[in-house]
Amino acid sequence: MLGIDGRSPRPSVADALHGDETEAPGLNVHETRQLHWIRLFGATGAVLMAIGALGAGAQPVLQNPVQGLRLLGLPARMTSATLSMTLTGTVMVVLAWLLLGRFAIGNMRGGHAPRQLSRSQLDRTLLLWVIPLTVAPPMFSRDVYSYLAQSEITARGLDPYAIGPAGALGVDNVLTRTVPNIWRDTPAPYGPLFLWMGRGITWLTGENIVAGIFLHRLLALAGVGMIVWALPRLARRCGVSGVSALWLGAANPLVLFHLVAGIHNEALMIGLMLAGVEIALRAVEGTEPIRGRVLLLLLAGATLIALSSTIKIPSLLALGFVGMALARRWGANLKALVSAAVLFGAVTVAVTVFVSTASGLGMGWTQTLGTATEVRSWMSIPTLLGLGTGLVGVLLGLGDHTTAVLSLTRPIASVIAGFITLRMLIAVLVGRIHPVGALGVSLGAIVLLFPVVQPWYLLWAVIPLAAWATRPVFRIPTIAFSSFVSVILMPNGAEYEPFMIVQAAIATTIVSIALIFVTRNRLPWRPQPSTTGQTDSVGA
């Protein structure tokens, strides 16, 4: 059942999700011209999002820099129009990403793309779409205001793991006022490294909200940069096209909207984790003995992974899979397993103790890891089952037993996620699956079976799996769900009146259909057969 013997009569997870994928030739002249228009289409959408966010984004309650200005303050007084503009831009970026997929992975029915855009072409496209979102107000979430408040608490020498923004700063404080009500009395759920960096941002910006937002966004961009660096390298280790991995993992609208525009610290967590995995696997999968320079590589990778876990703890799981790969290289026996566990355990303890002590925050962060479970998320399988069962009970007149059902479904889901993770660890040890794929599968199980799932949590699994999983059974649901979730969330990180959402949805639908009609001859909305005389590959 655990697969310890390394054999199974049934197809494995690797068989179902992974297949080698070679790099394809470059685009021809006609396709390069289409790529140019796809870039502009997505960039136009990103610009519309940035402008619309001046009125429909997650603006601060106080210190709004555009409030009262004649031109820049106009969007805030036209909420329905700016909401429509932002949603239209969101749909345009998603459509452009889907069109770009034709030149990255081809179509799901026809298999791999016969020709593929180059890495430089994808990098330029991604950069063009990211720049407008970099200078835009926060969108889709107000978590960055919690970051600022918790950083201020840390800067004042108080314990952010024992007291929330309202108690530490006061309910009238400029930073507390913009924190969502549900989190005003909640201690920080983040690791000491993130709050340590936040304290540095507070030292530079004080209570200047706008400056603090942009410095936190720089941290998020640094994380995205590490993802872009590590993902194609990991993909090559797994026999997967680096361009297709980047398209699905880094150019994904969830990354653009929630890591860049939403400024979530998942960017830094995932970036450090993937960079650490890549550096560590250079030592583990190499042919040189693990000593000297190679040992330093291994320790450096393990250190980066351990650092990522001091932002959010789930990334520490990556160290387990790298450890299993190391144990396999050392003989896949009990001695090798214990040796790898001791080595990486020592690195984890050293990094965690150092960060917790040097930051002055101590180990209190381990007591607040369950803070997020206060939210009931429909994307969490055990929570959805609990909410659905409670609703049925109410409809049948049996009473609301949601809390009681959740107390059953959530522990059961945790056990299942733990079993899947153990199964993947053993699969790496016996050589049935690559560590990157096993990490992605395990994180996917943990995310879906976690008590609460936010849209950006899905990236914990999607980004590593983008470097390994190539089968349609993974890519089709991932593409569909990424597109769907990207367009249904409100850009202000909260809710609008239903009539405003209906108006914006109608306007967005009309404009999107019109744009598709206008660009029908410039953009590849329909699969096009290869044309003769245009087969030469060119660069963008």
Side-chain angles (χ1 to χ4, degrees):
M1 181 176 65
L2 292 174
I4 295 175
D5 60 356
R7 300 185 302 273
S8 174
R10 300 178 181 178
S12 66
V13 172
D15 297 327
L17 298 179
H18 173 73
D20 288 345
E21 183 180 61
T22 58
E23 302 281 352
L27 303 181
N28 61 32
V29 175
H30 177 64
E31 291 165 337
T32 302
R33 192 178 302 115
Q34 290 181 325
L35 173 63
H36 170 74
W37 287 107
I38 291 173
R39 279 178 182 165
L40 293 182
F41 192 81
T44 302
V47 170
L48 287 178
M49 290 178 65
I51 296 173
L54 295 174
Q59 298 279 23
V61 174
L62 302 175
Q63 295 187 14
N64 189 335
V66 301
Q67 189 172 11
L69 298 181
R70 289 187 176 182
L71 182 59
L72 294 179
L74 185 61
R77 299 191 291 272
M78 305 169 58
T79 308
S80 294
T82 52
L83 178 60
S84 301
M85 181 183 296
T86 307
L87 292 182
T88 299
T90 300
V91 171
M92 290 179 67
V93 173
V94 172
L95 290 176
W97 176 67
L98 294 174
L99 291 174
L100 190 67
R102 291 190 182 278
F103 302 142
I105 64 172
N107 61 75
M108 292 294 95
R109 292 174 300 175
H112 303 317
R115 288 179 294 277
Q116 195 175 51
L117 75 164
S118 67
R119 169 67 190 275
S120 63
Q121 289 174 326
L122 181 57
D123 286 345
R124 294 189 192 112
T125 303
L126 180 59
L127 184 63
L128 193 62
W129 294 355
V130 163
I131 288 175
L133 301 178
T134 301
V135 298
M139 284 185 277
F140 304 105
S141 174
R142 297 182 178 271
D143 280 6
V144 68
Y145 301 114
S146 295
Y147 300 166
L148 294 174
Q150 291 155 3
S151 299
E152 174 66 19
I153 294 172
T154 307
R156 291 188 182 189
L158 302 174
D159 186 358
Y161 302 122
I163 189 170
L169 308 179
V171 294
D172 293 327
N173 181 270
V174 63
L175 299 175
T176 305
R177 290 284 299 276
T178 311
V179 175
N181 291 334
I182 190 175
W183 305 124
R184 287 189 179 183
D185 296 305
T186 303
Y190 311 115
L193 178 60
F194 182 69
L195 294 184
W196 195 8
M197 291 186 290
R199 183 167 64 193
I201 290 176
T202 298
W203 181 80
L204 291 172
T205 63
E207 294 185 348
N208 188 314
I209 292 178
V210 175
I213 286 172
F214 278 104
L215 288 184
H216 271 284
R217 183 165 272 157
L218 287 179
L219 288 181
L221 289 173
V224 172
M226 285 187 280
I227 292 171
V228 172
W229 176 83
L231 200 56
R233 290 168 170 80
L234 292 171
R236 284 194 290 272
R237 293 187 182 280
C238 301
V240 174
S241 165
V243 169
S244 66
L246 276 175
W247 173 80
L248 184 57
N252 193 304
L254 292 177
V255 173
L256 302 179
F257 298 166
H258 295 289
L259 301 192
V260 178
I263 324 180
H264 285 289
N265 55 13
E266 264 77 9
L268 205 55
M269 180 198 81
I270 297 173
L272 285 170
M273 179 186 73
L274 291 185
V277 170
E278 162 59 23
I279 293 173
L281 288 181
R282 289 186 182 184
V284 174
E285 297 182 349
T287 57
E288 300 180 39
I290 299 181
R291 59 173 180 264
R293 183 187 65 86
V294 178
L295 180 59
L296 288 178
L297 273 179
L298 181 65
L299 294 177
T303 300
L304 287 178
I305 296 172
L307 283 173
S308 74
S309 72
T310 59
I311 296 175
K312 279 193 170 182
I313 195 69
S315 63
L316 188 61
L317 190 62
L319 208 54
F321 290 101
V322 174
M324 285 297 190
L326 179 62
R328 175 171 174 78
R329 173 170 175 172
W330 282 345
N333 51 38
L334 182 60
K335 179 182 177 181
L337 190 61
V338 172
S339 299
V342 170
L343 176 62
F344 286 157
V347 171
T348 302
V349 171
V351 170
T352 303
V353 170
F354 171 77
V355 173
S356 299
T357 303
S359 64
L361 293 170
M363 299 298 295
W365 62 288
T366 60
Q367 306 298 318
T368 62
L369 297 177
T371 299
T373 58
E374 294 184 13
V375 178
R376 292 181 176 179
S377 170
W378 61 270
M379 285 190 288
S380 165
I381 293 176
T383 301
L384 182 62
L385 289 174
L387 295 176
T389 304
L391 179 60
V392 171
V394 172
L395 294 176
L396 296 177
L398 302 176
D400 186 357
H401 300 287
T402 300
T403 303
V405 175
L406 287 175
S407 66
L408 293 175
T409 58
R410 287 178 170 180
I412 292 173
S414 298
V415 171
I416 295 173
F419 175 79
I420 293 173
T421 301
L422 176 62
R423 185 66 177 80
M424 291 297 102
L425 287 167
I426 294 173
V428 173
L429 181 65
V430 299
R432 297 191 65 206
I433 189 171
H434 194 276
V436 174
L439 172 63
V441 171
S442 299
L443 286 175
I446 290 173
V447 168
L448 294 178
L449 297 172
F450 198 62
V452 58
V453 179
Q454 301 290 3
W456 51 93
Y457 289 7
L458 300 172
L459 295 172
W460 300 359
V462 168
I463 293 178
L465 284 174
W468 175 78
T470 59
R471 302 294 190 193
V473 69
F474 164 73
R475 281 182 171 172
I476 290 177
T478 301
I479 293 168
F481 198 76
S482 297
S483 303
F484 174 72
V485 172
S486 295
V487 300
I488 65 170
L489 298 180
M490 292 297 102
N492 67 342
E495 297 179 355
Y496 282 98
E497 294 293 334
F499 76 91
M500 296 178 62
I501 298 176
V502 171
Q503 289 177 345
I506 294 173
T508 299
T509 302
I510 294 173
V511 173
S512 299
I513 293 174
L515 288 172
I516 292 174
F517 178 78
V518 170
T519 60
R520 66 190 185 280
N521 295 324
R522 295 184 182 274
L523 297 177
W525 296 110
R526 296 182 301 272
Q528 297 178 354
S530 300
T531 54
T532 58
Q534 291 181 322
T535 57
D536 293 333
S537 298
V538 297

Short mmCIF file of all heavy atoms in Angstrom, two decimals, residues 161 192 352 355-357 359-366:
data_model
loop_
_atom_site.label_atom_id
_atom_site.label_comp_id
_atom_site.label_asym_id
_atom_site.label_seq_id
_atom_site.Cartn_x
_atom_site.Cartn_y
_atom_site.Cartn_z
N TYR A 161 2.79 38.00 17.75
CA TYR A 161 2.17 36.69 17.88
C TYR A 161 1.29 36.58 19.11
O TYR A 161 0.69 35.52 19.36
CB TYR A 161 3.24 35.60 17.92
CG TYR A 161 4.13 35.61 16.69
CD1 TYR A 161 5.51 35.77 16.80
CD2 TYR A 161 3.59 35.48 15.42
CE1 TYR A 161 6.32 35.78 15.67
CE2 TYR A 161 4.39 35.50 14.29
CZ TYR A 161 5.75 35.65 14.42
OH TYR A 161 6.55 35.66 13.30
N PRO A 192 8.85 34.42 11.34
CA PRO A 192 9.65 35.56 11.80
C PRO A 192 10.46 36.24 10.70
O PRO A 192 10.73 37.44 10.80
CB PRO A 192 10.57 34.93 12.86
CG PRO A 192 10.61 33.47 12.51
CD PRO A 192 9.28 33.15 11.94
N THR A 352 16.02 28.05 11.71
CA THR A 352 14.84 28.51 12.45
C THR A 352 15.23 29.20 13.74
O THR A 352 14.71 30.28 14.06
CB THR A 352 13.92 27.32 12.76
OG1 THR A 352 13.54 26.67 11.54
CG2 THR A 352 12.66 27.79 13.48
N VAL A 355 16.91 32.69 12.83
CA VAL A 355 15.97 33.73 12.42
C VAL A 355 15.08 34.15 13.59
O VAL A 355 14.85 35.35 13.81
CB VAL A 355 15.11 33.23 11.24
CG1 VAL A 355 14.00 34.24 10.91
CG2 VAL A 355 15.97 33.00 10.01
N SER A 356 14.61 33.19 14.36
CA SER A 356 13.72 33.51 15.48
C SER A 356 14.44 34.31 16.55
O SER A 356 13.87 35.23 17.15
CB SER A 356 13.16 32.21 16.09
OG SER A 356 12.41 31.49 15.14
N THR A 357 15.73 33.99 16.77
CA THR A 357 16.49 34.70 17.81
C THR A 357 16.98 36.04 17.31
O THR A 357 16.84 37.06 18.00
CB THR A 357 17.70 33.84 18.24
OG1 THR A 357 17.23 32.57 18.70
CG2 THR A 357 18.47 34.53 19.37
N SER A 359 15.84 37.93 15.00
CA SER A 359 14.74 38.88 14.78
C SER A 359 14.13 39.37 16.09
O SER A 359 13.40 40.36 16.09
CB SER A 359 13.64 38.23 13.94
OG SER A 359 13.05 37.14 14.63
N GLY A 360 14.43 38.65 17.18
CA GLY A 360 13.86 39.01 18.47
C GLY A 360 12.42 38.58 18.64
O GLY A 360 11.78 38.96 19.62
N LEU A 361 11.90 37.77 17.72
CA LEU A 361 10.49 37.39 17.75
C LEU A 361 10.26 36.05 18.45
O LEU A 361 9.13 35.71 18.79
CB LEU A 361 9.94 37.32 16.32
CG LEU A 361 9.86 38.68 15.61
CD1 LEU A 361 9.54 38.49 14.14
CD2 LEU A 361 8.83 39.57 16.27
N GLY A 362 11.33 35.28 18.65
CA GLY A 362 11.17 34.02 19.34
C GLY A 362 10.39 32.99 18.55
O GLY A 362 10.23 33.10 17.33
N MET A 363 9.86 32.00 19.26
CA MET A 363 9.15 30.89 18.62
C MET A 363 7.64 31.02 18.74
O MET A 363 6.91 30.05 18.52
CB MET A 363 9.61 29.57 19.24
CG MET A 363 11.09 29.28 19.09
SD MET A 363 11.59 29.13 17.35
CE MET A 363 10.70 27.67 16.86
N GLY A 364 7.16 32.19 19.08
CA GLY A 364 5.71 32.37 19.23
C GLY A 364 4.94 32.15 17.95
O GLY A 364 3.73 31.86 17.99
N TRP A 365 5.62 32.23 16.81
CA TRP A 365 4.92 32.08 15.53
C TRP A 365 4.39 30.66 15.34
O TRP A 365 3.43 30.45 14.58
CB TRP A 365 5.86 32.43 14.38
CG TRP A 365 7.08 31.58 14.25
CD1 TRP A 365 8.17 31.58 15.06
CD2 TRP A 365 7.35 30.61 13.24
NE1 TRP A 365 9.10 30.68 14.63
CE2 TRP A 365 8.63 30.06 13.51
CE3 TRP A 365 6.65 30.14 12.13
CZ2 TRP A 365 9.22 29.09 12.72
CZ3 TRP A 365 7.22 29.16 11.33
CH2 TRP A 365 8.49 28.65 11.63
N THR A 366 4.97 29.69 16.04
CA THR A 366 4.47 28.32 15.92
C THR A 366 3.11 28.14 16.58
O THR A 366 2.44 27.13 16.35
CB THR A 366 5.47 27.34 16.54
OG1 THR A 366 5.66 27.66 17.93
CG2 THR A 366 6.82 27.42 15.83
#
